[in-house]
DNA sequence: CTGAAAGCGCTTACAG
DNA sequence: CTGAAAGCGCTTACAG
């Protein structure tokens, strides 16, 4: 049916093994033979059969990408991780087998046991992720995006959510804010092991305590119209709060309408900082300063390390890594000093600080 | 290394061929042998090697998914098509090889020539799509999402954009609107062959002409902050327009802020109809009525037909299909009668129609 | 109802 | 520098 290396060999007038070596470069080939083989390949339009090659070499040049789409989680954000992984893989000569089924454990076994992939990237890794035990004893390398409790045997990449929480709080503290609100992902996300929610929140609470200011923390509602309603209630509940921190894309997307509806503006009435990617902000016209979540970079890092392991370019005994991306605060001008009418009661008259 | 069918055969005490037949069911096997084989499979945790099977059968049970990410196009919307394809494929027993590289033609040749896939789904198909000639002579079946000029040899699935354009216009005409604005995708999208933009726009213009009303058509700006600015200019340019039709997700996402900033409301001041998925509307808190773009359904349809062809379940000589999904208008209450102050000059006093 | 053998299209020791 | 042959792990005619 299709062209095989036998056809190439025949046309070039050499043996199949010589044709193979001429293409792989795994042994020295006379210039004349090499050009004859290459010409034959061109002429016939030869492409090696992937299955046959995989069978012979136990290498597929395919990476499994396990994207977990959980209810209430934010699907559009996932696209950026997938693109980072996919594009990087291609640059390095790999293709991507994408799995989106709910049962990630099943999918992982299938891909690795059947030898369809050389390694896997797990997205959206939970604190106590079901997929990890399977990954650990499948014998293939794996890179994670997201930090699990047990990082043994895998390479891990994630945003430094602790630092993100601190950066968000400190930025507003430095501007003079004394009462903040932090809205995180929906509680379901936390229950399913989305540890990044706690990591950011705990660090934020600690930073607030250290600065001696108040912070109110909430889990965002899941879906509309609950989000808009909840947002209103939260604002009403804390009339003296002047800073809004959002670790929740869906709430960030809903915030502009809510603010406008109440004739509020950032940074005039509220200073706002989100945690999402700039790409996301641009796409949805979100005008808020934000901590860059770097999905593209995380995808790239995960794939690069995975490919190093697959190709044995890690030093012998090289330990696995846990690498955090430093949060970058992208200033879009949505933060400033708190409104004078709402300055802390400790200085009601204005400039009477020592 | 891994467990092979030879191991299964040995443990079950049968030949490899018998083990294979017991698993495939392609010939009658005595009950006792079958259970012994199945037990061995279980005990050993056997999974067939995908490469070996592909080599022997010329079938991979993998579908290639070519997603084209063009600059200025709306990446988040793509996720829903991908999910529709991926989930449906899995239900039918197929895995997805996802390709996102810019050069789709290259990727297509690679996947088909190397025998990595049994067929392909092309997303985001342009009027004169580069990938089609390659698809046509690769010998593998292909399903498209998006309507090209030449549909020969492929199965095509798309939203009925003509009908969508008519539905949008007629809905507002019936409510009494006499001057509309239609904002389509950025001009780049059209230039690259996004024929759906013309299909919707031409049908809308025709429907408006037929109803004897005015319609102003624009291509949306690409990216922020141009989108918001352009939106403002367009509204200013047509003070008598009362209906807004959006064939552009990014503009739809930016519209709530723009309206609020101008103290405008839908449907009080403008009746608004978008063209996007309900999933998209929910995710981004978009309060507008919209023509459902049905990405999930289109993905499903494309895969189902592709699998029928792959598995030879099409009748001999069964022609290729071009199937349009009927646009469904999802009413979110953003349309109504035009503001009384802006009724057409033909009836300034009110109820003086015959 | 079951087994021995050929073959899918590669790669890579082994021999020269 | 090159070729003949074995082997990767399956499936499936061919024989019994």
């Amino acid at each position: 049916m299709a062209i095989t290396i036998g056809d190439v060999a025949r046309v070039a007038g050499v043996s199949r093994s010589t044709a193979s070596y001429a293409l792989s470069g795994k042994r020295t080939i006379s210039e004349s033979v090499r050009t004859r083989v290459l010409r034959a390949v061109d002429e016939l339009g030869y492409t090696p059969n992937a299955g046959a090659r995989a069978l012979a070499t136990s290498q597929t040049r395919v990476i499994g990408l396990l994207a977990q789409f959980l209810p209430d989680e934010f699907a559009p954000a996932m696209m950026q991780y997938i693109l980072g992984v996919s594009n990087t893989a291609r640059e390095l000569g790999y293709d991507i087998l994408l799995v989106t089924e709910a049962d990630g454990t099943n999918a992982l076994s299938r891909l690795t046991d059947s030898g369809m992939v050389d390694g896997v990237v797990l997205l959206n890794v939970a604190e106590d992720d079901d997929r990890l035990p399977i990954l650990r004893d499948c014998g293939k390398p794996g890179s994670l995006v997201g930090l699990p409790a047990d990082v043994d045997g895998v390479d891990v990449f994630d945003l430094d959510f602790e630092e993100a929480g601190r950066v968000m709080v400190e930025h507003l503290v430095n501007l003079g804010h004394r009462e903040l609100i932090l809205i995180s992902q929906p509680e379901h996300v936390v229950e399913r092991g989305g540890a990044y929610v706690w990591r950011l929140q705990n660090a934020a609470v600690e930073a607030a305590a250290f600065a001696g200011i108040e912070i109110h923390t909430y889990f965002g509602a899941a879906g509309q119209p609950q989000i808009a309603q909840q947002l209103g209630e939260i604002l009403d509940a804390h009339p003296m709060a002047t800073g809004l921190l959002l670790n929740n894309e869906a709430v960030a997307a809903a915030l502009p309408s809510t603010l406008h509806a109440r004739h509020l503006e950032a940074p005039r009435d509220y200073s706002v900082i989100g945690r999402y990617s700039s790409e996301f902000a641009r796409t949805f016209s979100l005008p808020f300063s934000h901590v860059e979540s770097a999905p593209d970079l995380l995808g790239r890092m995960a794939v690069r390390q995975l490919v190093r392991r697959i190709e044995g370019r890690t030093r012998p005994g090289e330990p696995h890594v846990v690498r955090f991306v430093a949060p970058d605060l992208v200033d879009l001008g949505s933060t400033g000093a708190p409104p004078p009418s709402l300055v802390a009661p400790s200085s009601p008259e204005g400039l009477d600080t020592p």
Side-chain angles (χ1 to χ4, degrees), chain A residues 173-215:
Chain A
V173 165
N174 290 340
L175 288 168
H177 295 262
R178 311 281 306 156
E179 188 173 338
L180 310 179
I181 295 168
L182 165 62
I183 306 181
S184 301
Q185 299 286 20
E187 195 156 11
H188 286 123
V189 174
V190 183
E191 284 164 3
R192 276 190 312 259
Y196 68 97
V197 174
W198 284 122
R199 286 195 278 144
L200 189 148
Q201 177 167 318
N202 289 344
V205 167
E206 206 171 295
F210 184 79
I213 70 160
E214 234 182 314
I215 185 166

Side-chain angles (χ1 to χ4, degrees), chain A residues 155 304-320:
Chain A
D155 292 308
R304 297 186 77 85
Q305 176 73 353
L306 182 64
V307 168
R308 284 188 68 229
R309 291 220 182 265
I310 287 172
E311 300 184 348
R313 289 188 287 107
T314 42
R315 298 186 312 275
E318 178 172 322
H320 288 269

Side-chain angles (χ1 to χ4, degrees), chain A residues 289-351:
Chain A
S289 299
H290 54 274
V291 169
E292 171 66 54
S293 57
D296 194 74
L297 176 60
L298 286 164
R300 295 194 79 77
M301 292 170 74
V303 170
R304 297 186 77 85
Q305 176 73 353
L306 182 64
V307 168
R308 284 188 68 229
R309 291 220 182 265
I310 287 172
E311 300 184 348
R313 289 188 287 107
T314 42
R315 298 186 312 275
E318 178 172 322
H320 288 269
V321 304
V322 177
R323 212 160 277 159
F324 293 107
V325 169
D328 189 24
L329 182 58
V330 180
D331 189 348
L332 259 48
S334 67
T335 64
S341 60
L342 290 182
V343 285
S346 61
S347 59
E349 271 31 299
L351 301 171

Side-chain angles (χ1 to χ4, degrees), chain A residues 82-169:
Chain A
I82 293 176
L83 277 174
V85 168
S86 168
N87 291 332
T88 306
R90 188 83 284 282
E91 285 163 23
L92 299 177
Y94 285 76
D95 277 301
I96 287 294
L97 206 65
L98 173 70
V99 175
T100 58
E101 63 185 295
D103 187 353
T105 61
N106 224 308
L108 186 53
S109 311
R110 180 161 40 84
L111 296 198
T112 56
D113 291 349
S114 67
M116 296 179 90
V117 300
D118 294 338
V120 296
V121 172
L122 306 192
L123 256 35
N124 215 348
V125 174
E127 170 112 56
D128 180 26
D129 202 297
D130 283 354
R131 300 170 295 181
L132 289 184
I134 295 177
L135 174 56
R136 287 201 180 90
D137 57 41
C138 78
K140 312 234 182 227
S143 274
L144 319 186
V145 176
L147 175 66
D150 179 359
V151 300
D152 191 48
V154 293
D155 292 308
V156 176
F157 302 88
D158 204 1
L159 183 68
D160 187 340
F161 281 93
E162 271 99 3
E163 183 63 12
R166 280 190 290 273
V167 163
M168 291 166 106
V169 168

